[in-house]
Amino acid sequence: MTDLQSLNAPELQELKSQLTRRYREFQSKNITLDMTRGKPCSEQLDLAMDMMNCLKEGGHFAQDGTDCRNYGGLDGLPEAKALFAEYMGVQTDEIIIGASSSLNMMHDTFMRAMVTGVTDDTAPWLKQPLIKFLCPSPGYDRHFHICEYLGIEMITVEMNADGPDMDAVEKLVKADERIKGIWCVPKYSNPTGVVYSDDVVDRLAGMQVKARDFRILWDNAYAVHDLTETPARLKNLLSVCKQAGNPDRVLMWGSTSKISFAGSGIAMMAGSKSNVDRAKKQIAFQTIGPDKLNQLRHVRYFKNMSGITDHMKKHAAILKPKFETVQTVLQNELGGKNIADWSQPEGGYFVSLNTLEGCATAVVQMASEAGVKLTPAGATFPYKKDPLNRNIRLAPSFPPLQDIRQAMELVSICVQLVSIDKILGK
Amino acid sequence: MTDLQSLNAPELQELKSQLTRRYREFQSKNITLDMTRGKPCSEQLDLAMDMMNCLKEGGHFAQDGTDCRNYGGLDGLPEAKALFAEYMGVQTDEIIIGASSSLNMMHDTFMRAMVTGVTDDTAPWLKQPLIKFLCPSPGYDRHFHICEYLGIEMITVEMNADGPDMDAVEKLVKADERIKGIWCVPKYSNPTGVVYSDDVVDRLAGMQVKARDFRILWDNAYAVHDLTETPARLKNLLSVCKQAGNPDRVLMWGSTSKISFAGSGIAMMAGSKSNVDRAKKQIAFQTIGPDKLNQLRHVRYFKNMSGITDHMKKHAAILKPKFETVQTVLQNELGGKNIADWSQPEGGYFVSLNTLEGCATAVVQMASEAGVKLTPAGATFPYKKDPLNRNIRLAPSFPPLQDIRQAMELVSICVQLVSIDKILGK
């Protein structure tokens, strides 16, 4: 483990030759590996197969007698609301069970805000001159895409080890009425794996905000997606917001896409009763109700929160070796070389790799030319532009272990080669 | 069968006494019947029970190898697109398979129009001074609710026996740029049962329209929901629009909610490739993809169009006696009395009853006081206001035969009582 930045030019050239040989070897193997997709692997999906056919003949009635094969139930079955209210840490009148996509519910929340506003006494966002959003970055590309699509100006805020840079956030939201919200993935943040600290949660709940229609968009996508025996605990933002006298400040989402079946799970939205009631009134124009049979499948299969957390231990058993492999290879290849750092997440779906400044695009390109597909550099930032061009999102959940090992080895070689060129001033 | 309007006052009083006795008898029975709900009955839902568990172990792969338990497939599985493209009479690149609700897809189409406009060279509807929509009435209340919710001004157009009054439609859309569309349920229209004639379809496709962002919203909800052996045929509006040089004029929807399971079916949107491509680009911001397992269930279970039409014959066998009962009781009780007329639909879910002018609200109220719930008078018109206060929507699919008989008898009594009062000038 030598600090590459302490080597002289001939030493770097020698190292470059070795690495180039290894890179060429990879190229000659004609491999095709994909580290871009934050989606479960088949073994994870196999875990819930018994859910697929769990509604036996005559078993399609909810506890209250509802025939789940028929219309109705705008905000979800009572038993689904009960289970997922506990999951989200809210009351049953503070949750809406939706269809299968939480992203869909977030998108629709934006659309409603654009067309009808967020509160009764503020204008539709589309009729306000400019809407801005805070985007702690690196963050989730699909959040940013919604803002870009709707012409909402994104302001990048630095993501620290305990959440967004709250000094910056507080300063911005206090001063600018046009800032209407902040995107948050508060637990095992995509892609950094950061868990928001209690202090950050408290400050988000209590901070002084200029815009009356300001909302914290709390996408708690990885609420139970722990990789360790001692899961991180996230403070309940809705509770803290209530204590701070700002109950309507937060909208929360969750989903079972990475618990049961991706794209065929259950999505949910939660918040103060007032926020939820407002959303329900509007959703009543959109649909007669979501797929209750799928809700029933979930409740029958998981039964209760223990059912969910037990199930997630099986996911962890599959994912842990994959995440460990990423760490092992990165540490072996890049450790102590002073050219990269990376997250060591205790849950979630991603590892965030930072190269030297200005190197990410070249690393992704180089990896691609040897058959390893990485998430495009910049994808984790607003407007797909990483100002320091150094962040690379790694998604180890889907590929098999052997592929991950190979891919990470190649990525490490690319990082070194690109770094050496940078150090050499090329 | 006597024309009530030809009776003198004492005759009417005598008849009123008899009817009042019958009405009181009904009241004393303390019945509770519901004729409001256009939803399938349990027996209909039982028909598709084998679909519930048709994805056996290992059977979750689509024809192209897609693991339907995982993310992806924005516009639907290839085999789902193939089947429902045939269902909708379009090409596979002219359809998007959505989640379970076609109403949801229509609502979202409006939201996209409000925020981003309908074409690249027209303004978002929310940024245009006023948006108007043509609403052939009586029509589907949920269509009208979307317009009302979004502040879109509704213009009532009369519904004739062969579709909307096209003279009125053509005159309006030719003159007013602010009229952006027309709602249509073209086959077995809700609630009149009207099937649009070829001539109406041709005129809709070819008419001169002032607004460049004008759209016909073609909610073909009852495409295969026939009650007779000789189903009505509806001309394919998309084909005719293409022939008329207006391929982008129409957006079409369908759903299996009244084929498989209500609320757990598959919804679809179709139109020109250009319209579908535009929608897909925008839906990509909304979701990673709909529930593919449910698509697979539908394709596996129905297999092909014959599978669907055969299945619908079983629905018809259940529904036909119910619709016949409505006709029989109405004919027996009201036939020849010159105080009401009603539709005799050959498909769909509703019977439309017209009383004498000004009587509908009182009939609904009176029926309710004897335990029979009817759709509120006015519900089938924009702003829930029937200008002639005479239309009542009857929904015979859900209640058992005996209930329908009772309910229709009571409704007939109420119609006569209210009519007599009207004739007597009270």
Side-chain angles (χ1 to χ4, degrees), chain A residues 361-423:
Chain A
T361 306
V363 169
V364 170
Q365 174 65 23
M366 199 171 194
S368 150
E369 285 163 9
V372 171
K373 200 175 161 194
L374 298 176
T375 304
T380 54
F381 283 79
Y383 307 106
K384 304 185 186 73
K385 276 183 197 147
D386 174 359
L388 300 180
N389 187 19
R390 61 171 188 166
N391 188 250
I392 296 172
R393 186 183 85 166
L394 304 169
S397 59
F398 190 74
L401 262 187
Q402 179 53 33
D403 285 7
I404 296 171
R405 193 171 295 119
Q406 272 203 304
M408 292 320 300
E409 201 183 322
L410 178 72
V411 169
S412 302
I413 291 167
C414 297
V415 169
Q416 291 177 81
L417 282 168
V418 174
S419 301
I420 289 170
D421 277 352
K422 182 186 156 86
I423 297 167

Side-chain angles (χ1 to χ4, degrees), chain A residues 60-238:
Chain A
H60 48 271
F61 291 96
Q63 280 165 9
D64 64 358
T66 298
D67 185 341
C68 295
R69 304 170 306 175
N70 220 328
Y71 287 120
L74 185 67
D75 58 354
L77 293 175
E79 52 263 61
K81 284 201 279 186
L83 174 55
F84 291 104
E86 188 180 349
Y87 178 91
M88 297 293 283
V90 301
Q91 302 300 310
T92 51
D93 60 357
E94 295 173 331
I95 193 166
I96 299 171
I97 311 292
S100 58
S101 163
S102 57
L103 183 70
N104 198 319
M105 297 183 95
M106 296 176 221
H107 167 278
D108 290 359
T109 299
F110 269 91
M111 292 301 266
R112 291 192 297 269
M114 297 297 282
V115 173
T116 72
V118 169
T119 66
D120 288 341
D121 62 349
T122 54
W125 286 0
L126 195 62
K127 292 202 166 172
Q128 296 189 35
L130 179 66
I131 301 292
K132 301 181 188 178
F133 244 75
L134 301 187
C135 298
S137 302
Y140 180 31
D141 51 357
R142 286 183 183 267
H143 288 166
F144 303 157
H145 294 170
I146 290 176
C147 285
E148 194 171 355
Y149 164 51
L150 297 175
I152 294 170
E153 185 178 308
M154 291 180 273
I155 301 170
T156 300
V157 171
E158 194 139 349
M159 183 64 112
N160 294 333
D162 61 346
D165 174 352
M166 284 308 299
D167 290 341
V169 170
E170 284 168 344
K171 199 175 158 192
L172 285 160
V173 299
K174 187 178 174 177
D176 191 345
E177 199 178 351
R178 295 166 300 180
I179 298 176
K180 301 300 186 186
I182 178 170
W183 275 117
C184 299
V185 181
K187 190 174 170 187
Y188 309 135
S189 195
N190 174 351
T192 57
V194 162
V195 181
Y196 286 27
S197 70
D198 288 0
D199 182 55
V200 164
V201 173
D202 289 341
R203 288 172 75 177
L204 283 167
M207 65 190 179
Q208 198 183 324
V209 163
K210 188 90 180 273
R212 273 176 306 152
D213 47 354
F214 180 92
R215 291 292 181 266
I216 300 167
L217 302 192
W218 199 247
D219 181 5
N220 200 1
Y222 309 106
V224 293
H225 304 58
D226 310 300
L227 288 171
T228 74
E229 298 292 308
T230 51
R233 287 201 60 261
L234 176 71
K235 205 165 176 180
N236 186 319
L237 179 60
L238 180 60

